[in-house]
Amino acid sequence: MTAGGAPMAPGYDDGYREGDREGDREGDREGKEDKRGVRSALAGLTTRGRSFLAAGVAAAVCSYVLGQADLLRVGLLLAALPLVCVAVVYRTRYRVAGSRRLAPARVPAGSEARVHLRIDNVSRLPTGLLMLQDRVPYVLGPRPRFVLDRVEPGGRREVSYRVRSDLRGRYPLGPLQLRLNDPFGMCELTRSFSAYDTLTVVPRVEPLPLVRFAGEAAGYGDGRHRSLALAGEDDVIPRGYRHGDDLRRIHWRSTARYGELMVRREEQPQRASCTVLLDTRLVAHQGSGPDSAFEWAVSGAASAALHLLERGYGVRLLTDTGTSVPGPDSGGGFTGTGHDSADTAGLMLDTLAVVDHSEEEGLSRAYEALRGGNEGLLVAFLGDLDEEQATMVGRMRHRTGTAVAFVLDGAAWSRGAWAADPRELEDRLRMLRESGWTALPVAPGATLAQLWRQADAQGGIGADAGSPMAGGGMTGGWA
């Protein structure tokens, strides 16, 4: 970037008429840019510069009225000084390169990130006094400003500042601006870089206690169960014999066909699956801000999703609009095994960083997004429910293995701003529990870790695979 100065007019080839026309147009554009640059430079006069210019004009007028030639010389000097400063600042050409680095680029709400700025003087001339300013949204704090002294040719300067936000979201940082001043403080021009970066503020993630998951056994790993990959004797897909294979698993029919020892394929571990349902309906949540019920639900969904990913679950995030993360193209909506869990966690956090209220009236789209009997574990963070929506949520229980719901108490979270009957919440919880859910109310000040243990104590986590709470099929459910 060239900070300050007017761009040079490009040349053109005189040998071609068309080139002359293009050059004329380029020259016209450059002339217009020069005029705009001069006007912007004059607009950059400081209060001191305007005062000197006004005093010079006044002195010149007085010299004409009073007939004093010496006063005219003083007026011309006063008026010429700011104009000369404008010309010097306007024609000053600093070739300065700027860069920005975020550490880290993704932070939880309420945490700080440090922004590192670096200015490199790539010209052969030293710079004068520079004022460096970075543009940041007001929610991240005051706009940082730095004064940089003379930067030698080929030199660099590094500065840093901190940003913090209690509100999740994606915030642009930049563009970086340089303010150029003359030595007398008569004129001040601002030059901007074009690049900017984005700081992502994700929901706060709360560590959750460890519980024993469904089908967990020694050597199987957390949250996994094992199943035969084959439906029967005739469906066996054999493989070659390996040293150490059990001889009882030799498949003699395939051995005779291929002329070498073949064994039945061993049982394959399957990854348990979980769906985290987040209710984002505007009608279901009252209030706003970092301490609102909706922000608690978003933070709870992030905590549950990351906790289950760490335990080896295939997790997807589902909202009341029917959209899911990851999408349906990645393993039926669930994450794959192994190394992609970290990428999926980052994708979910980025999604939750910008999730907002929806205009949906009900949870029918979320119900349609649940596949019958294949969802495994379902963890739901719900807002206020009327009788119709409570019935809809109860029907979701038949499309999953184990279901746990955290229902936010709207009357308590609104602090009296919205009068609601507390008995209505108890009726909704009773309807969910009768449908097979482990349903818990969420009051202000409650932590998800406490509710997590409470769900375990009520059977939503520690239920035996054969108990009614397990719903018969424990695919991906909590043990």
Side-chain angles (χ1 to χ4, degrees):
M1 167 191 172
T2 300
M8 302 298 293
Y12 54 88
D13 189 355
D14 292 334
Y16 297 93
R17 181 177 300 177
E18 189 64 28
D20 290 346
R21 295 176 181 175
E22 290 296 331
D24 292 339
R25 286 194 287 266
E26 290 290 342
D28 293 341
R29 284 195 292 267
E30 294 298 334
K32 294 180 181 178
E33 291 178 0
D34 286 341
K35 293 179 181 179
R36 288 196 297 267
V38 172
R39 287 196 295 267
S40 64
L42 291 175
L45 282 172
T46 62
T47 303
R48 180 184 301 176
R50 296 175 187 272
S51 299
F52 268 69
L53 185 60
V57 173
V61 172
C62 291
S63 68
Y64 176 77
V65 173
L66 300 177
Q68 298 291 330
D70 294 338
L71 187 59
L72 177 61
R73 297 188 186 95
V74 174
L76 292 178
L77 177 61
L78 292 176
L81 182 59
L83 295 179
V84 170
C85 292
V86 168
V88 170
V89 173
Y90 174 69
R91 299 304 301 178
T92 299
R93 297 183 63 86
Y94 293 147
R95 297 185 60 197
V96 179
S99 61
R100 183 189 299 103
R101 179 173 59 88
L102 305 180
R106 182 193 292 128
V107 295
S111 300
E112 291 184 346
R114 183 168 290 275
V115 183
H116 300 269
L117 303 176
R118 193 180 77 179
I119 298 298
D120 296 272
N121 183 11
V122 297
S123 66
R124 298 180 180 179
L125 298 176
T127 68
L129 188 67
L130 299 178
M131 177 178 288
L132 187 65
Q133 176 178 276
D134 204 8
R135 301 182 63 179
V136 299
Y138 72 94
V139 296
L140 298 181
R143 181 171 295 182
R145 293 181 175 90
F146 306 93
V147 177
L148 303 181
D149 204 352
R150 176 181 178 273
V151 182
E152 64 279 4
R156 68 175 56 174
R157 297 290 186 271
E158 294 184 2
V159 294
S160 64
Y161 63 93
R162 294 178 296 179
V163 291
R164 180 181 182 273
S165 175
D166 293 328
L167 298 175
R168 55 186 177 79
R170 294 174 62 89
Y171 301 101
L173 300 178
L176 193 62
Q177 294 179 334
L178 285 178
R179 290 188 178 181
L180 310 176
N181 297 325
D182 66 281
F184 299 101
M186 299 287 182
C187 182
E188 180 181 88
L189 295 182
T190 301
R191 295 292 183 262
S192 298
F193 293 85
S194 58
Y196 67 93
D197 294 281
T198 301
L199 175 68
T200 303
V201 181
V202 300
R204 287 187 290 266
V205 176
E206 182 179 354
L208 301 180
L210 299 177
V211 296
R212 188 172 180 83
F213 289 77
E216 184 178 350
Y220 283 27
D222 294 345
R224 288 175 170 84
H225 67 283
R226 299 174 70 90
S227 65
L228 286 174
L230 311 171
E233 183 71 18
D234 294 336
D235 297 326
V236 171
I237 302 178
R239 62 170 177 83
Y241 176 82
R242 300 172 185 170
H243 179 72
D245 286 339
D246 191 350
L247 295 178
R248 291 175 296 182
R249 294 176 43 242
I250 294 178
H251 192 251
W252 297 107
R253 182 182 302 174
S254 298
T255 299
R257 177 183 302 174
Y258 296 104
E260 59 177 330
L261 287 178
M262 306 292 291
V263 297
R264 298 183 181 89
R265 193 171 62 179
E266 60 185 358
E267 296 176 352
Q268 300 294 326
Q270 292 184 353
R271 197 182 197 195
S273 60
C274 172
T275 298
V276 178
L277 173 61
L278 176 61
D279 182 7
T280 64
R281 295 175 299 141
L282 180 61
V283 297
H285 298 280
Q286 304 296 324
S288 59
D291 297 327
S292 63
F294 180 67
E295 294 301 323
W296 191 99
V298 173
S299 177
S303 302
L306 265 63
H307 176 76
L308 294 171
L309 280 172
E310 292 175 355
R311 297 300 306 273
Y313 267 56
V315 181
R316 73 164 174 172
L317 175 67
L318 179 66
T319 65
D320 55 285
T321 60
T323 59
S324 61
V325 178
D329 295 335
S330 57
F334 296 95
T335 59
T337 59
H339 63 278
D340 63 343
S341 295
D343 296 336
T344 302
L347 178 60
M348 289 185 177
L349 288 177
D350 290 343
T351 302
L352 291 174
V354 296
V355 69
D356 201 357
H357 293 289
S358 70
E359 300 298 331
E360 295 290 329
E361 296 293 334
L363 298 169
S364 58
R365 292 191 178 183
Y367 173 77
E368 296 297 332
L370 295 174
R371 297 184 301 275
N374 297 324
E375 295 302 321
L377 172 64
L378 176 61
V379 181
F381 295 86
L382 306 173
D384 293 322
L385 300 173
D386 55 21
E387 184 176 357
E388 179 181 357
Q389 299 309 315
T391 303
M392 177 69 66
V393 174
R395 292 166 56 190
M396 294 181 185
R397 173 63 184 82
H398 303 292
R399 295 196 168 190
T400 185
T402 302
V404 179
F406 301 98
V407 185
L408 283 84
D409 188 352
W413 282 92
S414 61
R415 299 177 181 176
W418 179 67
D421 188 358
R423 294 175 297 180
E424 183 177 355
L425 175 63
E426 294 298 330
D427 293 339
R428 304 296 177 257
L429 294 175
R430 178 182 52 81
M431 293 177 61
L432 297 182
R433 289 164 183 163
E434 291 177 352
S435 300
W437 284 80
T438 298
L440 301 174
V442 180
T447 63
L448 183 59
Q450 296 174 346
L451 297 174
W452 201 262
R453 295 189 184 94
Q454 187 176 352
D456 184 16
Q458 292 187 10
I461 299 177
D464 186 81
S467 65
M469 291 300 298
M474 284 300 295
T475 304
W478 288 344

